[in-house]
Amino acid sequence: MKDHKQFDAVCAGIATWDTLFTGTDRDLMSIDGILAEGYYASSGGDAVNGAINMARLGLNVAVCASMGNDIPAELVENELREAGVDCSYIHHSDSVRTASPVILVDHEGERHIIRVPDNGNHFFTEDMVSDEVLNKARHLHLASANVLKALDGEGLGILFERAHNLGLTTSLDASYDRGGRWMKNIESALMNCDIFIPSFQEASIYAQSEDSDEICAFFSRFPLKIFGIKLGEKGVLVTDFKEVFKMGTLYKGKPVDTTGAGDAFIAGFVAGWLKGYDIPSCAAIGSAQSYSVLKAVGANKSAGSWSDAMNLLKENQIILHERGDL
């Protein structure tokens, strides 16, 4: 049920301008050069992907990120505004560069990302998500735990506590932690987090187990309303710690590009939750949104609308149900 806020959600985290080469050979580094099948450039980054997906699903969304005063930043903001996302709360600085990774997509559709250090994402801090924007929103989605050097850990916990104290619901998405801190990055945030659905790889490292029951038991010690595990081609497992729900993938065959699929899923799940649907329905909406991204190159360019998601679910004879707590 809506409560007349300006924004349904604030998406915070990394923003990038991505350059993708598709159909790249895995033996690239053993030869002097290859011919890629295709070239593509577009906005990306977890917060940008989440914001664009949520906006296309009919939510009013603002994005908080750290970028430079450069051409990649202009390109990213152009695509955000085109999708209807409010960019007023993006932080710009002359002292940083907008992250501009190169993404190599192999013949199986799997991505391999080349990043550079000291971009704007590395300087994104808790205070860049102001009380001003939080007071205008119903929900905070932090899209990029483990890759925000200046935010992960204590700062992330402070941000989530602030959001809860201001009456927002919260969700957290994570990336692979190459620094090896894992729980140290997110533990304090989980104390004020409502929805957390990491990938199986991430969840198994957090919980030190590859058994889904043990992983769920590990996270049950936090006051999460919803916990889940993204299982890739096997779909997703989601629980409220009372019941466990499983949703298979709606995408059949080899994906064109997996970039942004996880971001699309959680955006769809959160959109469903904010629209008042129950857990299985939210998982279905997330799967439908992920489907829209998997079928084309790029992290968010093919992100579907609410109508697209509903048509896909109807084709698969999936019926949505509202939550009983509304």
Side-chain angles (χ1 to χ4, degrees), residues 94-162:
D94 291 328
S95 62
V96 302
R97 296 171 295 179
T98 300
S100 303
V102 173
I103 302 172
L104 306 179
V105 182
D106 65 28
H107 294 287
E108 300 302 315
E110 293 296 327
R111 61 181 181 171
H112 310 272
I113 306 174
I114 304 171
R115 300 179 178 89
V116 294
D118 299 329
N119 59 67
N121 297 323
H122 295 166
F123 299 93
F124 185 73
T125 54
E126 172 262 333
D127 61 302
M128 290 182 183
V129 185
S130 66
D131 281 354
E132 178 187 351
V133 69
L134 290 177
N135 275 313
K136 295 178 180 180
R138 301 167 56 207
H139 184 88
L140 169 67
H141 177 57
L142 194 289
S144 317
N146 294 331
V147 292
L148 297 167
K149 294 181 178 179
L151 178 64
D152 288 331
E154 182 181 359
L156 193 59
I158 293 171
L159 174 58
F160 271 60
E161 184 176 14
R162 282 174 49 217

Side-chain angles (χ1 to χ4, degrees), residues 213-225:
D213 290 338
E214 291 181 1
I215 293 172
C216 290
F218 175 85
F219 282 100
S220 68
R221 63 194 177 101
F222 296 99
L224 295 163
K225 289 185 174 66

Side-chain angles (χ1 to χ4, degrees), residues 2-326:
K2 292 190 176 184
D3 51 6
H4 307 294
K5 296 283 189 175
Q6 180 177 348
F7 302 119
D8 294 302
V10 175
C11 287
I14 67 172
T16 66
W17 181 255
D18 297 342
T19 299
L20 295 90
F21 293 94
T22 61
T24 56
D25 293 329
R26 286 175 175 256
D27 60 354
L28 168 64
M29 300 304 293
S30 64
I31 55 179
D32 62 354
I34 62 168
L35 181 64
E37 291 177 358
Y39 162 83
Y40 185 88
S42 75
S43 62
D46 303 334
V48 171
N49 296 339
I52 288 177
N53 276 279
M54 289 185 191
R56 291 192 176 149
L57 288 168
L59 300 188
N60 294 321
V61 186
V63 65
C64 294
S66 173
M67 296 194 289
N69 285 311
D70 49 25
I71 291 175
E74 293 178 15
L75 295 170
V76 171
E77 289 199 21
N78 286 342
E79 295 201 353
L80 284 164
R81 291 194 179 96
E82 183 181 339
V85 177
D86 190 296
C87 298
S88 304
Y89 299 95
I90 293 176
H91 187 271
H92 292 276
S93 173
D94 291 328
S95 62
V96 302
R97 296 171 295 179
T98 300
S100 303
V102 173
I103 302 172
L104 306 179
V105 182
D106 65 28
H107 294 287
E108 300 302 315
E110 293 296 327
R111 61 181 181 171
H112 310 272
I113 306 174
I114 304 171
R115 300 179 178 89
V116 294
D118 299 329
N119 59 67
N121 297 323
H122 295 166
F123 299 93
F124 185 73
T125 54
E126 172 262 333
D127 61 302
M128 290 182 183
V129 185
S130 66
D131 281 354
E132 178 187 351
V133 69
L134 290 177
N135 275 313
K136 295 178 180 180
R138 301 167 56 207
H139 184 88
L140 169 67
H141 177 57
L142 194 289
S144 317
N146 294 331
V147 292
L148 297 167
K149 294 181 178 179
L151 178 64
D152 288 331
E154 182 181 359
L156 193 59
I158 293 171
L159 174 58
F160 271 60
E161 184 176 14
R162 282 174 49 217
H164 258 189
N165 287 343
L166 291 171
L168 285 77
T169 53
T170 57
S171 55
L172 179 67
D173 203 6
S175 298
Y176 189 87
D177 180 18
R178 290 170 176 79
R181 287 172 50 84
W182 292 103
M183 283 305 298
K184 292 179 181 178
N185 286 336
I186 68 168
E187 189 165 14
S188 60
L190 291 180
M191 300 308 298
N192 285 284
C193 182
D194 298 304
I195 302 171
F196 182 44
I197 309 177
S199 70
F200 176 77
Q201 181 187 34
E202 294 153 359
S204 61
I205 295 174
Y206 284 127
Q208 295 294 293
S209 173
E210 294 188 352
D211 181 88
S212 59
D213 290 338
E214 291 181 1
I215 293 172
C216 290
F218 175 85
F219 282 100
S220 68
R221 63 194 177 101
F222 296 99
L224 295 163
K225 289 185 174 66
I226 299 169
F227 173 71
I229 308 171
K230 296 191 287 271
L231 301 170
E233 63 183 15
K234 295 180 181 178
V236 65
L237 177 155
V238 190
T239 182
D240 59 1
F241 302 111
K242 299 174 184 175
E243 294 183 80
V244 175
F245 308 93
K246 293 183 179 180
M247 173 73 199
T249 181
L250 295 174
Y251 195 91
K252 310 302 180 185
K254 184 175 72 174
V256 176
D257 177 17
T258 60
T259 307
D263 299 332
F265 174 83
I266 189 63
F269 190 100
V270 169
W273 188 256
L274 292 175
K275 286 175 179 282
Y277 289 100
D278 66 7
I279 293 174
S281 299
C282 292
I285 296 165
S287 295
Q289 197 62 16
S290 182
Y291 172 99
S292 72
V293 170
L294 287 167
K295 67 182 183 180
V297 176
N300 60 57
K301 204 69 172 181
S302 64
S305 66
W306 182 259
S307 178
D308 293 329
M310 294 305 100
N311 288 337
L312 179 62
L313 295 179
K314 184 177 180 180
E315 290 172 13
N316 286 270
Q317 300 182 323
I318 296 173
I319 299 173
L320 303 182
H321 300 278
E322 293 186 352
R323 291 199 305 279
D325 62 345
L326 297 180

